[in-house]
Amino acid sequence: MRRFFALAVIGIYFLCLTPTCRAEAKSLFDGKTLDGWEGDIKNTWRIEDGAIVGGSLDRVVPHNEF
């Protein structure tokens, strides 16, 4: 069991030496706008208190975008 654990740790270590594990983090959302996002960002999606919110409480959304 110890040998298996040691091999697993070594394997994970070497996998993380690949460029994918060292890639810079990229923010998907700036907390203010939906710039760069796709979909119905005019009617279905909006920003509230720095979060992406879908749907509407005061009108019917024509079809599901979730």
Side-chain angles (χ1 to χ4, degrees), residues 26-57:
K26 181 179 179 183
S27 179
L28 299 175
F29 176 56
D30 64 10
K32 300 173 190 167
T33 67
L34 293 173
D35 290 347
W37 286 72
E38 297 178 8
D40 186 7
I41 59 173
K42 302 265 188 241
N43 300 310
T44 303
W45 304 103
R46 65 188 183 283
I47 310 300
E48 264 185 30
D49 298 324
I52 300 173
V53 180
S56 176
L57 297 176

